[in-house]
Amino acid sequence: MTTNKMWGGRFRQGPASIMEEINTSIDFDKRLAAEDIAGSLAHADMLAAKGIIAKADAAKIRKGLTAIKREMEKGTFPFRREYEDIHLNVEARLSELIGKASGRLHTARSRNDQVATDFRLWVRSACERADAGLLALQQALVKQAAKHTDTIMPGFTHMQPAQPVTFGHHCLAYVEMAERDRARFADARARMNESPLGAAALAGTPYKIDRKMTAKALGFDAPMRNSLDAVASRDFALEYLAAASIAATHLSRFAEEIVLWTSPAYGFVRLSDSFSTGSSIMPQKRNPDAAELVRAKVGRILGAFTGLLVVVKGLALAYAKDLQEDKEPVFAAADALDLALAAIAGIAGDITVNKQAMRAAAEKGYPTATDLADWVVTKLNRPFREAHHIAGAAVARAEALGIGLEALPLEELKKIESGITKDIYKVLSLDASVHARTSLGGTAPVRVAEQVAFWKARLS
Ligand code: ARG
């Protein structure tokens, strides 16, 4: 075979180094080190128990893997790109440490089932971390809610003042969202908790292995039933990313509210110095950077989800190297989510509420107009649609006079609807409005206090 005179000389080494560059994954899959060792320990024990390898070899392997684990903890383990990935790096090091017996470890196994196992274990832990982070957020929010069962703030729809609500009620809305997020992670965790180990490359193995034994050793509920599915599927990672995307979306909504509320235009809450940053030019500034970054993190997380979905889309069975691209998005998303959760829980615990500012804002925009209409329905037995019209006219009159509904003189109200009596003023205050909303799930302080008690019991 002749060398291509045009570029053969130059490219002689080219393909080899670029091959290593595109193929190597050790730079990121080193994060699977602990899981990889756990998987290998379980596998070696099983091979010995089933008489597939000698007990003496298994003992050497166990010793070697334990030494490697210590090297990793100490940071002295030599991660080497020429060994491509975490699996080959561990195996190469094992060979250096224990010699020939190391070659027995890869009996009845492939990197395909190995990586699927490692990654499931890693994502399973990520689900657990997400749960802990969400729980911490819930606890911080319940604490705030307990302090503010009757703190009045404007409730918005379309970002327009709608009806007054209690701040505790508002906090508990996020506690509910976080609870569903936790359920999504728990659900994903339960479904992913099956062991791919023993699927080998794709078809299973002729060795008389015990997949139940390795599954149990690794805390899996059972071995996966189908070896092709075991090595080819990544929906467990996709489910994690989907749950993470939804959770991060919820966090972004709360973060956005913190950004708004800390702005002097609202002034509803104040973040302490520990959660504020200054400006390099404007000395008066207290910026809510952490909340802004929490609001932004969903970009990475959702990006990771769509990215991995596209990697898996259209991929014929079983394993293909495309699947090596599964790890970076999951690692990036998990880092972002863990950090966002820690930051937002910190923020939720840190805020101090400015009750006066909240109340003053709640007084703007005629938020008790619905209460006026409800009084007309209840006391004058008018259909709600007519009552709505009457209340609308009252708002228009108050607006023209530049006063609130509470300050509108009785004669003005009587001009609109002659049946109105001074009894109506009882329902026009902010306090009366929130205290009246006692329906299940409503904003009334009694209901919010019940919900606080419910969550305290549930989260303890
Ligand atoms: N580093 C690979 C990955 O992350 C491990 C599996 C490689 N298997 C193989 N047959 N090349 O997917």
Side-chain angles (χ1 to χ4, degrees), residues 25 29 85 87 111-112 115 319 321 323-324 327:
S25 56
D29 67 18
D85 58 22
H87 325 295
R111 275 190 293 159
N112 296 350
V115 74
Y319 177 84
K321 200 63 178 259
L323 293 175
Q324 179 166 286
K327 290 165 211 66

Side-chain angles (χ1 to χ4, degrees), residues 65-84:
L65 288 171
T66 310
I68 288 173
K69 199 171 163 184
R70 266 200 306 275
E71 287 183 343
M72 285 174 172
E73 281 157 9
K74 276 193 295 186
T76 59
F77 181 86
F79 290 103
R80 288 167 289 191
R81 298 188 97 209
E82 65 266 32
Y83 294 118
E84 207 182 306

Side-chain angles (χ1 to χ4, degrees), residues 137-454:
L137 172 62
Q138 287 180 309
Q139 283 164 336
L141 287 166
V142 169
K143 241 182 172 171
Q144 290 288 0
K147 270 194 270 177
H148 296 288
T149 53
D150 57 4
T151 300
I152 289 176
M153 67 178 279
F156 298 94
T157 60
H158 316 268
M159 275 314 280
Q160 301 292 318
Q163 289 168 353
V165 296
T166 47
F167 182 63
H169 193 216
H170 197 107
C171 289
L172 292 182
Y174 285 108
V175 174
E176 297 283 349
M177 291 177 229
E179 186 72 0
R180 291 193 297 277
D181 290 329
R182 291 178 67 192
R184 269 181 280 274
F185 283 113
D187 192 42
R189 187 201 181 284
R191 209 169 4 259
M192 78 179 65
N193 201 31
E194 292 186 340
S195 175
L197 198 58
L202 76 166
T205 171
Y207 297 98
K208 301 282 176 267
I209 58 171
D210 184 349
R211 292 190 58 209
K212 286 186 181 156
M213 182 179 167
T214 47
K216 193 167 172 226
L218 295 168
F220 288 117
D221 296 328
M224 291 178 77
R225 275 186 297 272
N226 183 304
S227 62
L228 294 166
D229 176 45
V231 296
S233 293
R234 294 295 181 270
D235 51 305
F236 68 91
L238 291 170
E239 284 196 311
Y240 169 78
L241 292 173
S245 298
I246 296 172
T249 302
H250 289 154
L251 302 190
S252 80
R253 298 182 74 169
F254 184 53
E256 164 67 0
E257 296 199 311
I258 295 293
V259 172
L260 288 174
W261 294 344
T262 51
S263 160
Y266 282 75
F268 289 2
V269 302
R270 184 178 169 91
L271 279 171
S272 77
D273 289 357
S274 37
F275 278 99
S276 308
T277 49
S279 155
S280 56
I281 170 169
M282 297 161 285
Q284 84 284 10
K285 291 293 282 289
R286 293 177 67 80
N287 294 330
D289 291 38
E292 293 164 82
L293 288 163
V294 169
R295 184 175 61 185
K297 289 291 179 200
V298 64
R300 278 177 206 245
I301 296 169
L302 180 58
F305 177 44
T306 55
L308 182 56
L309 208 49
V310 174
V311 166
V312 178
K313 181 200 169 290
L315 204 58
L317 300 187
Y319 177 84
K321 200 63 178 259
D322 305 52
L323 293 175
Q324 179 166 286
E325 294 279 311
D326 59 356
K327 290 165 211 66
E328 286 167 292
V330 171
F331 293 155
D335 289 344
L337 182 67
D338 291 348
L339 188 56
L341 280 168
I344 202 75
I347 288 170
D350 182 81
I351 50 175
T352 34
V353 170
N354 184 336
K355 292 188 185 187
Q356 294 73 28
M358 278 187 179
R359 179 172 275 272
E363 265 151 14
K364 290 182 204 154
Y366 308 100
T368 59
T370 317
D371 299 270
L372 194 157
D374 289 337
W375 185 92
V376 172
V377 167
T378 323
K379 299 290 156 100
L380 306 182
N381 194 24
R382 304 282 290 269
F384 183 78
R385 277 287 154 247
E386 281 176 34
H388 183 286
H389 205 81
I390 291 162
V395 169
R397 189 65 193 133
E399 201 170 36
L401 295 171
I403 54 177
L405 274 181
E406 267 182 284
L408 200 61
L410 188 60
E411 55 271 26
E412 291 288 350
L413 286 168
K414 278 187 178 299
K415 270 189 237 163
I416 297 162
E417 164 54 57
S418 59
I420 292 178
T421 67
K422 72 173 188 334
D423 178 67
I424 200 166
Y425 291 102
K426 283 190 206 147
V427 303
L428 296 183
S429 74
L430 296 176
D431 296 277
S433 178
V434 298
H435 280 277
R437 284 177 168 65
T438 52
S439 55
L440 196 158
T443 204
V446 293
R447 291 288 95 85
V448 177
E450 282 167 10
Q451 290 297 306
V452 166
F454 166 83

